Amino acid sequence: MKHYPSIQALRVLTSFARTGSVEETADELFLTRSAVTYQLRLLERSLSFSLLHRAGTRIGLSPEGLAYAHDVRLALNTISGSAQRYANRSVSGTLVICSTPGFAGGWLCSRIAKFNGAFPDVKIVLQTQTLLENVANEDIDVFITFGNGHWPEMSVSYLVGIRISPVCSPVFLHQHGMFKDPKDLSNVPLLNILGDETDWEIWLTAAGVDPFLARSGITFHDGNLCYNAAVYSQGVALGDDFTCRAALASGMLVMPFDLSLRGRRSYYLVSSPAKAEMPTVAAFSSWIKTEIMANHTEDDGEA
């Protein structure tokens, strides 16, 4: 009789492969850190190859482990998709989603039809707001917001973390003779998102540049406007590897410096406990987590 690994161990593996962090895997799956490492070691003992590599007190996945995690993720997605094809037929109603502009424009809008195809009886209303941590509107079913994950008395699910680095258009880079040093940023407009100036200050400090420079330039009311200005060669924005991924992959934006930093905030799915139990919200929550897991791998390494 074949031996099959436990689903819990496989869920831990796919989460750890995506986040690269025992701590974030534990938070995401509501486990202790020791439970995460136990499940990984238990899984490794059931395999005929080394799943993990160790460097001091830190653990990571071996090349074979990464490949195995990829196969497991595809298999779990297939199982989930099969179940959803039958369950989705009973999910109907209106779902009002409120997202940050950057997340909506940079990621969700290019995929929302997939959710509509999976749940054709759900009417989707997508709104945006720039007050990123405001989750008080009772007319909203579920929020996609950006913060530290602390919203008391709300149902909160981690979606994805980010890494931040300056971005600009290739045309802008060519016009300014390529940047040889981060100090060259003092000669060009910096593009800010209202309320996110601290992120520029953190990056400039890490790059050895006076953080006061973050107070200069042009400030935009939301992320979409800021990134559009960068695409149209109006200056240098501080982008992230999630919402800017498509623009970076297509060459519309480039990263002129190698230095990237782990963002101090992450994206979360937030709703009231009552609305979190709604079939439409539960369906969207499951779908968006699966979609992110299938299309984005987080790097938890230092800059």
Side-chain angles (χ1 to χ4, degrees), residues 123-259:
K123 179 182 178 181
I124 304 162
V125 179
L126 178 59
Q127 304 177 7
T128 62
Q129 69 173 17
T130 54
L131 297 176
L132 303 184
E133 298 199 17
N134 179 17
V135 294
N137 189 338
E138 295 182 357
D139 295 329
I140 305 299
D141 295 319
V142 62
F143 294 85
I144 300 170
T145 192
F146 194 54
N148 60 12
H150 183 65
W151 288 274
E153 301 181 3
M154 300 294 283
S155 175
V156 180
S157 296
Y158 174 86
L159 289 180
V160 67
I162 62 169
R163 294 190 72 83
I164 56 175
S165 182
V167 296
C168 64
S169 75
V171 172
F172 185 87
L173 196 60
H174 177 74
Q175 288 173 340
H176 291 82
M178 308 294 284
F179 298 120
K180 296 180 180 179
D181 187 278
K183 293 185 174 64
D184 294 337
L185 291 173
S186 61
N187 301 318
V188 298
L190 296 190
L191 309 178
N192 278 295
I193 302 171
L194 185 65
D196 280 1
E197 295 86 350
T198 301
D199 287 338
W200 256 125
E201 293 176 358
I202 292 171
W203 190 91
L204 290 169
T205 299
V209 182
D210 185 353
F212 187 79
L213 183 61
R215 303 184 187 183
S216 64
I218 308 166
T219 299
F220 297 86
H221 201 245
D222 69 57
N224 272 346
L225 295 176
C226 183
Y227 297 143
N228 281 342
V231 168
Y232 286 112
S233 304
Q234 301 304 296
V236 181
L238 191 65
D240 70 70
D241 63 337
F242 186 77
T243 58
C244 292
R245 182 179 180 184
L248 290 166
S250 68
M252 294 173 65
L253 291 175
V254 296
M255 289 183 173
F257 305 105
D258 292 334
L259 176 63

Side-chain angles (χ1 to χ4, degrees), residues 16 20 28 88 102 129 149 225 247 258 265 273 296:
F16 181 66
E28 184 175 291
N88 294 355
Q129 69 173 17
L225 295 176
D258 292 334
R265 293 173 292 174
H296 185 75

Side-chain angles (χ1 to χ4, degrees), residues 69-135:
H70 174 75
D71 291 345
V72 167
R73 182 175 64 187
L74 293 178
L76 291 178
N77 286 344
T78 299
I79 294 170
S80 176
S82 178
Q84 284 184 354
R85 279 193 292 274
Y86 299 99
N88 294 355
R89 297 174 185 175
S90 63
V91 180
S92 62
T94 298
L95 176 66
V96 182
I97 306 165
C98 187
S99 172
T100 63
F103 190 102
W107 191 86
L108 184 58
C109 283
S110 65
R111 292 170 170 83
I112 193 64
K114 288 186 179 182
F115 178 76
N116 183 235
F119 297 89
D121 295 327
V122 176
K123 179 182 178 181
I124 304 162
V125 179
L126 178 59
Q127 304 177 7
T128 62
Q129 69 173 17
T130 54
L131 297 176
L132 303 184
E133 298 199 17
N134 179 17
V135 294

